[in-house]
Structures are given as C-alpha cells and as structure tokens.
Amino acid sequence: MRTASVEAAEVATPTEAPAVTRNAQADQVFKSMELINSVVEARTHPIYQRHGIHRADYPILDALSRHHPTHVLAPTQLARQLTITTGALTPRLDRLEASGLIQRLSVPRDRRRLHIQLTPAGQRCVGAVSLDLSSHLQEAVQNMGKTRLDELSSLLAALEKCLGLSNEQPWPVVGGDVGQCPRS
C-alpha cells in the first residue's frame, strides 16, 4: 500500500526540460539588433530633445499622424498600437497635452470616453521630428550603397513578417501572432 507522502513526492518530481539548442547565427543577429538599437537611441536622443519631446512620446504623435484624416484615436487604440498599457500611456498623454501637441476630446454621446487628437502644433512637431530622424538615418546609411540598402530593407521586411509586424501596424502588438517567415 502506498502512502500519501510517497504519491505526493512522485507528483512533485520535476520533469526534465527539453534541451534547447542555441543558434549562434540567430544569437548574433539579435545581439546586433540590440547594439544598433542602443546606438540609434543614443544618436537620436538629441533630435527629440531639440523638439522638446521625449523619445517615448514620438510613437504616440506618429500613430496619431498616420490616422488620416482626423488624427484622432481612442486611448485604448493608441495603447494597443504602441503595445503599452493605458496606465503607461496616461502620463505620456498628460505631458503631450501640457505641451499643446495633443488634446483630449470628450465623446459627445458618452461622456465617460475620450479621444486623443493631434493638434496643429503636434502635426508640425511630428513632421519636423520625422524629417530630422529621416535625415539622420539617411546620413547613417549613405555609405552602404543602393544595392546593399535594398538588400537590408528586404531582409528587415522579412524579419518584421517573421515577428508578426506589418506596414499597417508599425508598432508591434503584444501577444500578436508570429507571422510566416519567408525562406529563400
């Protein structure tokens, strides 16, 4: 006859996790991406500072600017597009509203809801920041040549697809499905 403590011990015995083989090439790709991201962040920080915004605020302005023609989104839509919580979004919206770059609009038929609208000053700001960022990034890759830049763009597009990103959704969706990776 088995005792309860023996049965409990058998149940509590951990099973071995399957062995994970590391892919050195994939590791190197992601290390390179992390390094590039760090360098880009450090070099673009002065651009955001010059325009009086935080780096974390730019994606909000960018998302609103892409929502034509009204430049209006609900906070939950914004949070979902930016893969942040509404709680993390609120202080950013407060900062942008205080700067006059966005405004909160009440929804006429439901006073509990708000929409976020990009102001004309916000449109000018996001346009200026976008131009400065584009100029900076063009300068950074100018020595690569058109062929290598086309190849890099193609490879990055394939990686974005593998990660479940799309042109319509420039910021990743949390919990989104991983896309189908093209193979060559």
Side-chain angles (χ1 to χ4, degrees):
M1 179 179 194
R2 301 176 98 189
T3 65
S5 62
V6 171
E7 287 177 355
E10 289 175 355
V11 171
T13 304
T15 58
E16 287 187 35
V20 176
T21 50
R22 294 184 61 140
N23 180 324
Q25 194 173 27
D27 286 351
Q28 185 57 47
V29 166
F30 283 99
K31 283 178 186 173
S32 292
M33 288 171 41
E34 287 176 345
L35 178 61
I36 290 167
N37 184 53
S38 295
V39 169
V40 168
E41 281 188 21
R43 291 185 181 174
T44 57
H45 180 74
I47 294 171
Y48 299 119
Q49 272 190 319
R50 186 169 49 252
H51 293 283
I53 65 171
H54 293 260
R55 186 184 67 78
D57 296 343
Y58 178 75
I60 295 168
L61 299 173
D62 185 56
L64 288 167
S65 74
R66 292 174 187 271
H67 200 266
H68 296 288
T70 62
H71 305 294
V72 174
L73 286 170
T76 53
Q77 290 173 297
L78 264 174
R80 194 175 310 117
Q81 282 188 23
L82 303 175
T83 68
I84 60 175
T85 65
T86 54
L89 180 63
T90 299
R92 297 175 191 183
L93 294 177
D94 291 343
R95 191 168 48 234
L96 289 168
E97 186 176 37
S99 298
L101 301 177
I102 60 130
Q103 60 184 353
R104 290 177 164 108
L105 305 172
S106 57
V107 177
R109 295 193 181 119
D110 186 351
R111 294 185 320 176
R112 296 169 297 171
R113 292 178 49 211
L114 291 173
H115 283 147
I116 310 303
Q117 182 176 40
L118 192 61
T119 64
Q123 291 175 28
R124 287 189 299 276
C125 179
V126 74
V129 172
S130 295
L131 283 174
D132 282 358
L133 289 172
S134 179
S135 174
H136 174 76
L137 295 174
Q138 284 177 8
E139 196 175 296
V141 298
Q142 72 183 357
N143 293 329
M144 288 184 70
K146 183 177 177 0
T147 302
R148 292 189 78 191
L149 199 51
D150 287 346
E151 182 181 343
L152 177 61
S153 294
S154 177
L155 291 169
L156 289 172
L159 180 59
E160 288 172 2
K161 188 171 183 176
C162 290
L163 296 174
L165 305 176
S166 70
N167 289 333
E168 297 79 37
Q169 183 73 42
W171 310 105
V173 176
V174 171
D177 293 332
V178 173
Q180 295 297 314
C181 297
R183 299 208 182 259
S184 57

